[in-house]
Amino acid sequence: MQLQGHDVLLRQVASLTGSMPGDVPIDESVRNALPEGTTAMSAYRFGQSAWSLTAKINAVDKHGDPTAFFLKYVPGDLGQMQLEGEFVGMTELHKAAPTFVPRPIGWGKLKSVVPSSHFLLVEFKDFTPVLPDPVKLGERVAALHKNSSSPTGQFGFPIQTFDGARPQAVGLDPSWTSFFSKLLAEAYRQDMETNGLWPELDAVYLKVQSQLIPRLIGALEADGRVVKPVLIHGDMWDGNIGTESSTGDPWIFDCAAYYGHNEMDLGIWRAERHQLRSKVYRREYLRNMEPSEPEEEWDDRNRLYSAKTNFMHSACFAGSPARQQTFDDFVFLLRKYFPDMSDTTERNNIKQGE
């Protein structure tokens, strides 16, 4: 699943964005992807992204009324796989929650503007820079999970999807325990690729894989329990949630979609770097969606689920505190569920690099 190196990608994006400081040329492929009768008038840089150039297209529809679209250009090998995965994921999310997910319009290869690059075109929403309303967000995320299901009955996704600019392990699997183990393993591999081996983390990670996951996640599929694979966004942090200025309603975008345990979508809300870490967001979700059994282990599962997003963040940003947070969370959970493990878990106060 390895593509071009992360540093290479950043240089490609820098070259792409540097060549388009303000107005953005609209490629012929983009114009052809617009709804029938729509005419693009102009485009300009809009929003921030570490992996792509993003822009707003001003257009008029077939009735002559103003309309707008969100445009993304991604360079290199990444562009094709990332944007196809995002387009298919957003399409499925929009089907399940059309009042929560902007409508994807199209994607494809650029013809002339930026060689060897691809585009994604999405319905434009005008957002205000405020955090989403916890009540509305909890209702809508729960509704998305309730209204979706895996067409194969398995966890994963039929094509490769990405968490930011990083591929995630989404191969189909009938078991959530097995799927989550592989999802976390790939995130950990990428973290080590960026930051190198940290022996203390490696020791507790191996115990998480061999003992904690079978116990804590395995309990969801034990004693006749079944985990229903539902469509999750996969990267629902506050930067990928907008509040519509005219209605105050939340919308989600920039997905890393796959079919998984519904609670997985909330793991990212726990991360210390995100404003959605406030417990009110998790509480409002749980008002609309009961915890899976064993209910009393919900918070521990949430802590473990946050490890995936923390590893991916650490993989993208060398030296991220998310790596230390994951180590601390692993130690906390191992001590709780396996209190006799004193050899490695006594290292809780060890900091990375010490």
Side-chain angles (χ1 to χ4, degrees):
M1 282 193 289
Q2 297 185 51
L3 300 175
Q4 73 262 43
H6 190 250
D7 290 342
V8 174
L9 171 63
L10 291 180
R11 288 196 296 271
Q12 289 178 326
V13 173
S15 175
L16 178 64
T17 56
S19 65
M20 301 180 187
D23 293 341
V24 174
I26 305 172
D27 192 89
E28 181 183 352
S29 296
V30 176
R31 294 182 184 275
N32 291 339
L34 291 168
E36 185 177 358
T38 301
T39 301
M41 308 302 293
S42 63
Y44 61 90
R45 293 283 297 277
F46 187 91
Q48 299 291 329
S49 173
W51 330 118
S52 60
L53 182 147
T54 54
K56 177 183 179 181
I57 296 178
N58 291 314
V60 292
D61 64 18
K62 60 183 180 181
H63 304 294
D65 296 324
T67 187
F69 302 90
F70 181 78
L71 173 66
K72 182 185 290 188
Y73 287 160
V74 179
D77 296 336
L78 174 70
Q80 179 176 0
M81 295 179 69
Q82 183 192 33
L83 295 185
E84 180 182 17
E86 185 174 346
F87 176 78
V88 174
M90 287 286 288
T91 298
E92 295 306 309
L93 286 163
H94 178 75
K95 289 178 183 177
T99 60
F100 187 40
V101 182
R103 181 169 63 95
I105 307 299
W107 81 283
K109 187 174 183 180
L110 300 180
K111 290 189 175 181
S112 59
V113 170
V114 186
S116 301
S117 294
H118 290 73
F119 75 91
L120 176 70
L121 192 63
V122 181
E123 174 187 21
F124 184 85
K125 295 292 180 181
D126 188 21
F127 296 136
T128 184
V130 299
L131 287 175
D133 177 85
V135 174
K136 289 184 176 181
L137 183 63
E139 290 174 346
R140 283 162 174 74
V141 176
L144 165 65
H145 293 158
K146 290 177 180 178
N147 294 336
S148 63
S149 61
S150 170
T152 65
Q154 298 189 79
F155 301 95
F157 208 68
I159 65 172
Q160 181 65 60
T161 58
F162 286 70
D163 187 339
R166 294 277 178 169
Q168 52 185 2
V170 292
L172 297 179
D173 194 312
S175 164
W176 172 244
T177 307
S178 171
F179 177 85
F180 176 75
S181 175
K182 290 182 282 189
L183 185 74
L184 188 65
E186 174 60 16
Y188 178 60
R189 183 196 68 78
Q190 294 190 44
D191 169 69
M192 282 206 304
E193 186 178 73
T194 296
N195 295 289
L197 176 66
W198 177 13
E200 289 79 14
L201 173 61
D202 194 58
V204 295
Y205 166 75
L206 291 175
K207 291 182 182 298
V208 165
Q209 283 284 7
S210 64
Q211 299 185 55
L212 183 64
I213 290 177
R215 162 60 186 86
L216 185 58
I217 307 305
L220 294 165
E221 298 177 309
D223 301 324
R225 301 185 187 103
V226 175
V227 179
K228 176 190 173 184
V230 304
L231 187 60
I232 67 174
H233 178 278
D235 193 20
M236 203 187 302
W237 69 288
D238 31 289
N240 288 342
I241 304 174
T243 299
E244 191 169 12
S245 57
S246 60
T247 64
D249 291 337
W251 294 81
I252 56 175
F253 46 90
D254 284 353
C255 70
Y258 57 90
Y259 293 94
H261 183 207
N262 63 287
E263 293 176 7
M264 187 70 190
D265 245 349
L266 276 65
I268 196 169
W269 293 1
R270 195 184 193 100
E272 287 295 321
R273 63 189 174 276
H274 295 322
Q275 297 181 76
L276 294 184
R277 67 184 181 277
S278 172
K279 290 183 180 179
V280 66
Y281 287 102
R282 281 170 275 171
R283 185 171 65 244
E284 288 301 327
Y285 174 84
L286 292 174
R287 290 183 187 276
N288 298 276
M289 194 85 169
E290 292 185 357
S292 298
E293 294 290 344
E295 179 177 349
E296 66 275 11
E297 296 177 359
W298 186 93
D299 191 65
D300 293 330
R301 293 193 297 268
N302 184 252
R303 187 186 296 269
L304 181 55
Y305 287 165
S306 72
K308 186 265 186 181
T309 188
N310 281 333
F311 274 147
M312 297 301 272
H313 189 270
S314 182
C316 290
F317 303 101
S320 166
R323 200 185 205 204
Q324 178 72 52
Q325 183 61 59
T326 302
F327 174 79
D328 293 342
D329 285 340
F330 283 170
V331 169
F332 174 88
L333 291 170
L334 287 170
R335 281 179 165 173
K336 179 173 181 178
Y337 285 89
F338 305 97
D340 293 336
M341 288 185 183
S342 58
D343 53 343
T344 55
T345 57
E346 284 302 321
R347 302 170 185 260
N348 188 29
N349 293 324
I350 293 177
K351 302 300 180 184
Q352 183 178 356
E354 292 185 359

